[in-house]
């Protein structure tokens, strides 16, 4: 465990109990939102992570997710790059770093953005930024359009394709239900290397800066999540540039709602609109400061075309996957119904015979 229970409760009182539930606090919907100053978060120090996957196991247990195909102590799964899915709210990946004998391990989950693109994309406001820092998903409001999946710059939300009748968007909850009970997030509690530290985001930032200051040879001078896309509640430290451990460094600092708010307020959201809106993210990347105006125009045009193509491919991929899974789920439901009907008929026939 990274922190004692007493220390954890101390944090909560410093943040204010209301930070966890905040029934009266406003929540971020699909318009610009300036954040909750006392919100909580997690610092993932990738230099401490040993890739043991215990955080994945804890997440599976505390969220009551389906049992995995292969056990959590099977580390051969690290041979392939994985992403989160409906049954895995978090995954750890291994990265072999050129020139280093030691691989790096990085845990991935919803980053609980301060100004979430998923909430910005959701026109029924099924996503809300809570005062605790968690980006909360309300399945009762969700209409299943999956724009959130397309909007997320970190490629995190996934869909419960196997649930035929009530599929949900699935992602890390920051263990909000556990926080409300005074418990640590499951993954933080179990990590044997203190690679995960839970606390107030501002304190985590101070802690991260102090580690970089004390051990400049051990850390890149960059806290990932401090500014990316307007900042995130999960923060990361690494020994190598984040692009070498599978993290996007091209996102820029502008929050998604700021890029899209005007357009979203003015027009109904349709899938075809998203490529146009999201390419704004690319246009406001760091490169804009480095290249000349003419080159920038060319670069933006090329990026826009590439982004549009990639997004169209993702939309199509999601559509095909949804159709396939829905068909399979319906077939399963039909089979179950036929079996139940056959059994009922057999029972009726048998009781009719008994009556004779
Ligand atoms: S439990 Fe900790 S050390 Fe193990 S993989 Fe997860 S973050 Fe890394
Ligand atoms: S990482 Fe993606 S799913 Fe999580 S809050 Fe940010 S935009 Fe939403
Ligand atoms: S905070 Fe909770 S839901 Fe999120 S990765 Fe950790 S255990 Fe899973």
């Amino acid at each position: 465990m990274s922190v004692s229970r007493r220390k954890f409760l101390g944090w909560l009182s410093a943040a204010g109990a209301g930070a966890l539930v905040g029934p009266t606090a406003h929540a971020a919907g699909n318009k610009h939102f300036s954040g909750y100053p006392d919100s909580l978060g997690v610092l993932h120090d990738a230099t401490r992570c040993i890739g043991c996957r215990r955080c994945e196991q804890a997440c599976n247990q505390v969220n009551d997710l389906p049992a995995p195909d292969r056990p959590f102590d099977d580390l051969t799964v690290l041979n392939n790059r994985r992403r989160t899915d409906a049954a895995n709210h978090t995954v750890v990946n291994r990265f072999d770093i050129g020139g280093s004998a030691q691989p790096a391990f990085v845990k991935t989950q919803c980053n609980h953005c301060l100004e979430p693109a998923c909430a910005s994309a959701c026109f029924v406001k099924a996503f809300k930024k809570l005062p605790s820092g968690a980006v909360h998903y309300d399945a009762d409001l969700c209409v299943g359009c999956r724009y959130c999946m397309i909007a997320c710059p970190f490629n995190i939300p996934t869909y419960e394709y196997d649930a035929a009748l009530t599929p949900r968007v699935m992602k890390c909850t920051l263990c909000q239900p556990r926080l409300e009970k005074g418990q640590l997030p499951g993954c933080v509690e179990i990590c044997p290397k203190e690679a995960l530290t839970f606390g107030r985001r501002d304190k985590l930032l101070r802690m991260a800066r102090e580690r970089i200051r004390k051990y400049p040879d051990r850390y890149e001078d960059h806290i990932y999540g401090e500014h990316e896309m307007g900042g995130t509640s999960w923060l990361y430290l690494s020994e190598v540039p984040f692009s070498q451990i599978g993290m996007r460094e091209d996102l820029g600092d502008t929050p998604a709602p700021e890029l899209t708010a005007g357009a979203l307020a003015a027009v109904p959201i349709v899938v075809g609109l998203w490529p146009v809106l999201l390419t704004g993210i690319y246009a406001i990347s760091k490169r804009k400061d480095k290249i000349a105006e003419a080159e920038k125009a060319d670069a933006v045009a090329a990026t826009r075309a590439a982004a549009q193509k990639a997004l169209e491919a993702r939309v199509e991929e999601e559509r095909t996957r949804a159709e396939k899974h829905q068909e399979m789920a319906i077939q399963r439901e039909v089979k179950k119904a036929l079996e139940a009907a056959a059994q009922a008929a057999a029972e009726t026939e048998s009781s009719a015979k008994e009556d004779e």
Side-chain angles (χ1 to χ4, degrees):
M1 189 192 330
S2 294
V3 296
S4 69
R5 183 174 167 79
R6 197 160 56 151
K7 195 168 172 191
F8 169 64
L9 293 172
W11 273 335
L12 295 192
S13 84
L20 289 180
V21 283
T24 56
H26 65 290
N30 53 356
K31 61 183 181 191
H32 185 70
F33 170 64
S34 57
Y36 293 106
D38 293 336
S39 67
L40 304 161
V42 180
L43 172 64
H44 176 34
D45 187 336
T47 69
R48 296 181 177 194
C49 180
I50 55 170
C52 64
R53 300 185 66 212
R54 292 185 64 189
C55 49
E56 292 184 29
Q57 182 167 17
C59 182
N60 176 281
Q61 284 166 357
V62 301
N63 289 293
D64 207 12
L65 295 170
D69 293 339
R70 285 153 74 182
F72 285 104
D73 59 6
D74 178 353
L75 300 185
T76 61
V77 300
L78 297 170
N79 293 340
N80 296 311
R81 193 70 45 82
R82 296 171 302 145
R83 58 157 293 189
T84 52
D85 59 36
N88 297 283
H89 290 184
T90 185
V91 293
V92 176
N93 278 309
R94 186 184 67 214
F95 294 87
D96 297 313
I97 309 297
S100 168
Q102 296 300 323
F105 297 97
V106 186
K107 179 182 179 300
T108 302
Q109 69 298 301
C110 170
N111 284 323
H112 297 274
C113 304
L114 300 189
E115 301 184 51
C118 54
S120 172
C122 182
F123 61 94
V124 294
K125 299 193 180 179
F127 284 89
K128 290 181 176 66
K129 181 76 175 170
L130 301 183
S132 67
V135 174
H136 172 72
Y137 164 74
D138 187 340
D140 291 338
L141 295 176
C142 177
V143 294
C145 69
R146 283 166 278 144
Y147 294 154
C148 53
M149 293 168 61
I150 296 164
C152 172
F154 301 105
N155 207 15
I156 291 298
T158 57
Y159 203 55
E160 249 185 343
Y161 291 109
D162 288 339
L165 303 178
T166 53
R168 293 166 298 172
V169 171
M170 302 292 276
K171 71 169 196 69
C172 158
T173 62
L174 196 60
C175 279
Q176 174 72 19
R178 286 174 61 86
L179 301 187
E180 288 173 14
K181 285 192 261 174
Q183 296 172 315
L184 284 167
C187 55
V188 175
E189 186 172 70
I190 202 142
C191 179
K193 302 303 287 184
E194 300 195 359
L196 304 169
T197 308
F198 177 80
R200 264 178 57 163
R201 184 177 183 271
D202 55 353
K203 291 189 178 174
L204 294 177
L205 280 170
R206 281 206 288 282
M207 179 188 286
R209 273 190 215 110
E210 183 59 11
R211 283 186 196 173
I212 293 171
R213 190 192 63 76
K214 263 174 118 172
Y215 306 106
D217 297 340
R218 195 187 296 171
Y219 294 105
E220 272 289 296
D221 187 9
H222 178 180
I223 306 168
Y224 194 96
E226 182 174 16
H227 300 299
E228 277 77 8
M229 295 299 294
T232 58
S233 295
W234 277 72
L235 303 163
Y236 301 80
L237 284 176
S238 164
E239 188 179 358
V240 295
F242 287 96
S243 57
Q244 290 185 31
I245 52 172
M247 297 171 75
R248 291 184 61 179
E249 291 197 285
D250 63 338
L251 293 172
D253 298 346
T254 308
E258 203 173 292
L259 293 171
T260 60
L264 287 177
V267 294
I269 298 171
V270 291
V271 157
L273 187 62
W274 268 105
V276 180
L277 297 178
L278 293 178
T279 48
I281 293 165
Y282 291 88
I284 307 175
S285 71
K286 287 177 186 167
R287 282 180 304 154
K288 79 176 181 183
D289 297 323
K290 295 179 185 164
I291 57 178
E293 277 306 308
E295 287 173 328
K296 187 168 75 176
D298 287 349
V300 167
T303 309
R304 176 176 290 129
Q308 174 133 2
K309 207 167 158 199
L311 283 163
E312 280 169 3
R314 276 181 69 187
V315 169
E316 180 57 21
E317 189 189 325
E318 280 306 326
R319 195 185 61 73
T320 312
R321 201 143 53 115
E323 277 174 9
K324 189 171 144 229
H325 282 270
Q326 206 161 22
E327 194 179 316
M328 284 165 56
I330 288 169
Q331 278 171 7
R332 275 199 304 276
E333 292 299 322
V334 168
K335 191 169 166 230
K336 262 197 266 170
L338 288 173
E339 283 169 0
Q343 193 181 348
E347 283 168 7
T348 309
E349 191 178 338
S350 138
S351 84
K353 276 188 185 149
E354 279 170 19
D355 289 346
E356 284 167 18

